Amino acid sequence: MALVLVAASLLLCVAGAAVGSAGWEPLWRAGGESASAVLWEIRVPRTFGAWLAGALLGLAGAVAQGLFRNPLADPYLLGSATGAGLGVALLLALAGTSPLDAGGWVARLGLAGAGFAGAVLAVLVTLALAKGVQHTLRLLLAGVVVGMVFGALASLVMFWVPEVMRAMQSFLLGTTALLGWPGVALLAAVLVAGLVAALAFSRGLDALSLGEDTAASLGVALGPVRTALVGVMALATGAAVAQVGLIAFIGLVAPHLVRAATRATSRWLLPLSALTGGALLLAADVLARGVMAPQELPVGVLTAVLGGGYLLWLMYRRPA
């Protein structure tokens, strides 16, 4: 399965570099400095960045479902998504800058930094309300509350400063258009660090799937394991959301697809979920760019429709 996912990702990378504003237009066949600049400064980093963001969401989704022992858990359970939205809304309200009109890497990294800071703040508030990571149910409930409150605050900012609504729309619907090489480097570093840390605690994640009492009886240090896994989930989700906005269903569907294809322990489930998430988001991004070219669909809307349709079909297939 890993080889299939790698091959699919490579093919999608080629397709991502060949799809532009006018649909299929492989610029490597065209000469000139402008064609080369479009290919290497816009399409290639956007393609790599979309795959890396999807891989981070797939990894975070697998960690969340194992940590909370719930197949419906997704990476946004700790409030990181709405926290990132609040951070971006506050920056736009204070600076009056649109991510669609911002020029240069400074403005783009500023928005990504605001999103990441908001995501980290939301996770810290969740951990404070849950009084640490000792009680999984309390952590889950705190994340739901923080997500609702931070989402309401972001809506309040947009109500007070309605000029930022159009700029916020691209973030809330998900977009890969602002990805550049600095963002790609950041996503790659976070993915490597998160995957290494998650694999280091994969046995603890397998033990947690048997129940906390069973895991403790097996000698698993529940506190350090939970802390590390929450850190991986928060860092991966915050980095992805800060760069591409709110992308629905990737973190939820990717682990499901892996489990449907193979029965694997966490040591294999985690990297396979990352590969699946990367391929899913990149496929959705290529489709969003090419299906209605020159108009581009919001990639987050496309993943929500396709991911939601898959889950509905899955529920319909299974007997009551």
Side-chain angles (χ1 to χ4, degrees), residues 53-67:
L56 284 171
L57 291 175
L59 173 64
V63 171
Q65 291 176 14
L67 181 63

Side-chain angles (χ1 to χ4, degrees), residues 128-231:
L129 289 177
K131 298 181 179 179
V133 296
Q134 298 303 318
H135 302 285
T136 304
L137 180 59
R138 185 165 184 159
L139 185 64
L140 177 61
L141 293 176
V144 172
V145 172
V146 170
M148 294 179 63
V149 172
F150 274 53
L153 291 176
S155 300
L156 193 59
V157 171
M158 289 187 284
F159 175 77
W160 279 337
V161 189
E163 292 81 9
V164 307
M165 285 188 178
R166 184 174 180 82
M168 277 294 296
Q169 186 178 30
S170 64
F171 178 84
L172 295 175
L173 296 180
T175 179
T176 58
L178 299 179
L179 282 165
W181 287 117
V184 170
L186 174 64
L187 291 173
V190 173
L191 177 60
V192 171
L195 191 56
V196 169
L199 288 175
F201 290 91
S202 59
R203 291 185 178 179
L205 196 60
D206 287 331
L208 280 173
S209 66
L210 302 175
E212 295 184 358
D213 293 337
T214 303
S217 67
L218 293 174
V220 175
L222 296 180
V225 170
R226 284 202 198 95
T227 301
L229 294 176
V230 167

